[in-house]
Amino acid sequence: MHDIQNQDDLYLLVDEFYKKLLADERISYIFTDVVKIKIEEHLPILVTFWSQAILGTGGYTKNLTQIHLDINAKEHLTAELFKIWLDHFYTTVDENFKGEKAERIKTQALSIATIMQIKIAQ
């Protein structure tokens, strides 16, 4: 198993991650009923986000906090939903990658989930 090295690796990661999220009825409704994402449009945005965060490529310009606050206004994003999200994220990373960037992306995901929960609570 290798470390996350490029955007192709990140695409694999987010694609496999979203397969898990969409297959989990405890959280899938957020993506299918509340947000109604078009996965083929959403995945490249996520790759750009994670590429900026982990590979330093830049290019992500959306307001991540505001996006989650807007979703929370439609359907409360509970601590349990964030835990499910993190569990699937960690599992997907660990199933596919091993190394410094793999550990860094998991730490970054935990930071994001924590910050989002704090912002939602305010």
Side-chain angles (χ1 to χ4, degrees):
M1 211 176 316
H2 68 275
D3 202 357
I4 296 167
Q5 298 171 352
N6 54 44
Q7 289 189 339
D8 289 341
D9 289 342
L10 291 170
Y11 190 91
L12 171 73
L13 173 62
V14 296
D15 186 44
E16 293 300 314
F17 172 53
Y18 268 77
K19 285 177 185 172
K20 286 177 175 37
L21 291 176
L22 293 172
D24 187 333
E25 64 186 28
R26 299 171 300 163
I27 195 170
S28 62
Y29 71 95
I30 295 292
F31 303 97
T32 58
D33 300 340
V34 178
V35 181
K36 299 179 180 163
I37 63 165
K38 294 181 175 81
I39 197 69
E40 64 280 354
E41 295 172 12
H42 193 57
L43 290 181
I45 294 167
L46 292 170
V47 170
T48 301
F49 172 81
W50 286 113
S51 182
Q52 178 171 297
I54 300 304
L55 304 175
T57 56
Y60 185 81
T61 59
K62 297 180 183 288
N63 184 332
L64 188 64
T65 301
Q66 192 58 55
I67 290 168
H68 287 84
L69 290 174
D70 291 347
I71 295 167
N72 185 68
K74 295 177 185 176
E75 179 75 24
H76 180 57
L77 297 176
T78 64
E80 179 61 22
L81 288 170
F82 281 101
K83 182 183 181 322
I84 294 165
W85 184 91
L86 274 173
D87 287 347
H88 284 306
F89 194 85
Y90 290 171
T91 299
T92 308
V93 172
D94 290 342
E95 287 173 349
N96 293 282
F97 301 102
K98 182 176 182 153
E100 178 190 336
K101 288 185 177 83
E103 292 306 312
R104 190 168 358 132
I105 204 168
K106 291 190 295 185
T107 301
Q108 186 81 21
L110 175 60
S111 296
I112 290 167
T114 303
I115 290 166
M116 291 304 144
Q117 290 177 82
I118 291 167
K119 296 285 188 183
I120 285 167
Q122 292 176 344

